[in-house]
Amino acid sequence: MKKFVDSLFVKQLSEISSNMYRQGWDERNGGNISYLLNEEEIRPYFKEDKAIREINLTFEAPENIREKYFLVTGTGKYFKNIKDDPESNLGLVKICKCGCSAKLLWGFKDGGKFTSEFPAHLMSHSARLSVDPENRVIMHTHPTYTLCMTACVKTDEKEFTRKLWKSNTEAVVVFPEGIGVLPCMICGTEEIGRATAEKLKNFRVVTWTNHGIYGVGKNIDEAFGLIETVEKTAQVYMLTLGHVVNEIPDEVILGLAKLWNLKIMSGVIDKPKN
């Protein structure tokens, strides 16, 4: 049998977590990632689902993610250490049929378990699967300028989205549906998990005020690219705050939407006057 530690999934997650740490987005043990894998992807590495141990969940997992496999970062783990020791810092789990626990199939060899944000991840996966079955990656991180922007802009999704769209022409193209925004909440709780999952029914990216961001994608690159674009745009906004002379005109944003046949978030950009 092939070794799961050598799989493309472990390598991709190890590489991207190292990159995110170098970006300064995941200080200490901040940030977490989960990757939904299917049975066909698992079988070259595991003949059967033989559990190393079971780990209790702090909530009852939604039915549409039960008996599914997730590669997930561990609680208290530093992103900078994942690449050198993935088997201690990552774990492959299968959600039990009852939805109350998860079987550990690989990883967390030092006795650890999945991130404390795993409830938010599982609820988010459940929500996104109901919208787009191809969305398999949930990424949570603390990008610096996005975090700054959540402190400077009201928790209003249309206002937050408008400020981003007006700062970078790439923004409306990458996230035409806009940005979901949550107020400052206690992280690691079922409450913030449910609130995030609800937002992800309409958005692929959600900001947690004074904390960070959640992004989703079909794969690691797509989820990272989405967050990367939000962060780059937030950086432009924050660096030019109070000094903007050449703001992107509404008609240019509408023109981009027309050019790329995008359905953009309504009520953000004024329609052209006749």
Side-chain angles (χ1 to χ4, degrees), residues 94-137:
K94 181 181 181 180
I95 307 302
C96 292
K97 190 174 183 178
C98 65
C100 58
S101 63
K103 294 180 180 179
L104 177 64
L105 305 181
W106 172 89
F108 300 146
K109 68 178 183 180
D110 59 356
K113 64 177 185 177
F114 36 70
T115 170
S116 62
E117 300 288 0
F118 201 39
H121 280 253
L122 293 181
M123 292 176 201
S124 296
H125 277 290
S126 176
R128 284 309 301 178
L129 286 174
S130 67
V131 176
D132 185 346
E134 293 188 3
N135 280 169
R136 301 202 295 162
V137 175

Side-chain angles (χ1 to χ4, degrees), residues 216-229:
V216 307
K218 297 176 183 178
N219 51 50
I220 291 285
D221 282 346
E222 188 174 85
F224 177 78
L226 176 60
I227 293 173
E228 186 179 35
T229 305

